[in-house]
Amino acid sequence: MRFVSIFGVLLLAGCSAQAAPAAAPAAASVIGNCGRQLSVAAPPARAVAMEQNATEILLSLGLADRMAGTSYQTDPVLPALAAAYARVPVLAKLYPSREKVLETRPDFVYSTFTSAYAPDAAGPRAGLAELGIPAYLSRFACESSPETFSFDGLFQEIQEVASIFGADSRGASLVADQKARLAAATSRAHDAASVLWYYSGTSTPYVAGPGGVPAAISAQLGLTNVYADAGETWPAGNWEQIATRNPAWIVVADLSRGGDGDSAQSKIGFLRSNPVTAHLDAVKNGRFVVVPGSSLDPSVRNVSAVELVGAAL
């Protein structure tokens, strides 16, 4: 059997994490963000990133010295960002409470997930705004009418965040690097293979449908997502239906949280031992591609996921 496990080499431009201090814009800015107007009086100097994806965007822009805290790490930090990450206080293993966030005296909060602004986390964005703290939310996670993920949208978000910090040139450099890598990863022709994006679970598998990062990667590489017809971005599948659809490849998300069917090893072991899935073409031929789970949520890791899947195919 052939088993493709391609984990690492998730390197960003290492120089970005050690760049010189960014030049500050001359005046305050007002930014439209997920239906709210965020007033940013000055380039943030005490930003809090509510989870790893937001953290790695800020670190990739060389903003470790402007961060008062990070939280919710799901994977080992990208090697090129590890030294910068070590300088940022970790506020909580998962989401910090509102009180913990406020203790840092933040002047900006950034999250790529709506759940970060729940009452038992940082609290609603409106409440933070009343305290004079602009709370930015990814366009792909807006409370209402979130954008469908696209690489163009991701690059626009990176540039907007960079602009908030007065780091426009760093944003342009990071986006140029990401675009070049994306173009290189998609320059080779691939067979129009069918693929299952297997995220988590064994008794009930959670898979990727339309509208998310996996759908965009599939489009970039000319792949057919076997759950493209689902009504949700991350639907619950079932093994009998998956067996009927019989994907040629299975992209396996490697999650470090330790639950049922989270690690790539547990998923692949299950697929090989389960009578319903053991006869899938992908399983019989060992056509697995392993990607970090965090690379399937909007982040600077998305281009790396394209590179990993494209290289395997």
Side-chain angles (χ1 to χ4, degrees):
M1 283 189 179
R2 187 162 60 91
F3 169 49
V4 182
S5 175
I6 311 177
F7 278 97
V9 204
L10 290 166
L11 297 178
L12 298 168
C15 60
S16 64
Q18 296 149 358
S29 58
V30 177
I31 298 158
N33 173 238
C34 287
R36 298 189 61 83
Q37 295 296 308
L38 302 187
S39 178
V40 183
R46 298 191 57 79
V48 169
M50 292 297 291
E51 66 280 313
Q52 185 167 353
N53 290 347
T55 296
E56 291 189 345
I57 288 174
L58 295 184
L59 294 180
S60 297
L61 291 168
L63 298 172
D65 60 328
R66 310 274 204 90
M67 295 178 66
T70 180
S71 58
Y72 220 132
Q73 181 180 350
T74 55
D75 286 297
V77 176
L78 292 170
L81 303 178
Y85 181 84
R87 305 202 311 267
V88 181
V90 177
L91 305 183
K93 182 177 181 180
L94 301 178
Y95 283 135
S97 67
R98 183 174 186 269
E99 292 73 20
K100 188 68 175 177
V101 171
L102 295 180
E103 281 177 9
T104 69
R105 298 178 290 111
D107 54 8
F108 186 76
V109 179
Y110 178 25
S111 178
T112 53
F113 293 103
T114 312
S115 52
Y117 296 116
D120 59 349
R125 295 199 296 145
L128 292 170
E130 290 173 359
L131 298 174
I133 304 169
Y136 188 97
L137 179 60
S138 171
R139 66 189 62 206
F140 308 119
C142 292
E143 296 93 341
S144 61
S145 304
E147 286 188 18
T148 296
F149 178 83
S150 68
F151 283 95
D152 284 343
L154 173 66
F155 300 150
Q156 290 168 13
E157 181 166 321
I158 291 171
Q159 289 178 313
E160 183 170 68
V161 170
S163 179
I164 290 170
F165 283 82
D168 301 76
S169 61
R170 297 187 200 175
S173 177
L174 176 59
V175 167
D177 175 69
Q178 293 252 309
K179 285 183 175 180
R181 290 170 54 196
L182 182 63
T186 57
S187 61
R188 292 187 302 168
H190 300 283
D191 293 334
S194 61
V195 61
L196 171 70
W197 295 85
Y198 179 14
Y199 190 74
S200 68
T202 52
S203 56
T204 300
Y206 285 88
V207 300
V213 174
I217 295 174
S218 296
Q220 288 285 333
L221 296 175
L223 307 175
T224 300
N225 179 1
V226 297
Y227 269 91
D229 61 346
E232 302 173 61
T233 301
W234 293 103
N238 70 75
W239 294 120
E240 289 72 18
Q241 187 177 60
I242 289 169
T244 300
R245 299 186 180 195
N246 195 21
W249 286 83
I250 300 177
V251 179
V252 180
D254 192 33
L255 307 174
S256 60
R257 60 193 184 186
D260 172 50
D262 276 347
S263 73
Q265 183 179 5
S266 66
K267 290 186 184 74
I268 293 170
F270 173 83
L271 290 168
R272 285 174 166 160
S273 62
N274 178 17
V276 178
T277 57
H279 299 291
L280 293 174
D281 285 348
V283 176
K284 288 190 297 183
N285 292 286
R287 296 197 196 107
F288 302 111
V289 187
V290 175
V291 299
S294 58
S295 70
L296 301 184
D297 292 313
S299 73
V300 290
R301 295 175 178 242
N302 298 148
V303 171
S304 297
V306 178
E307 291 169 336
L308 295 173
V309 177
L313 271 61

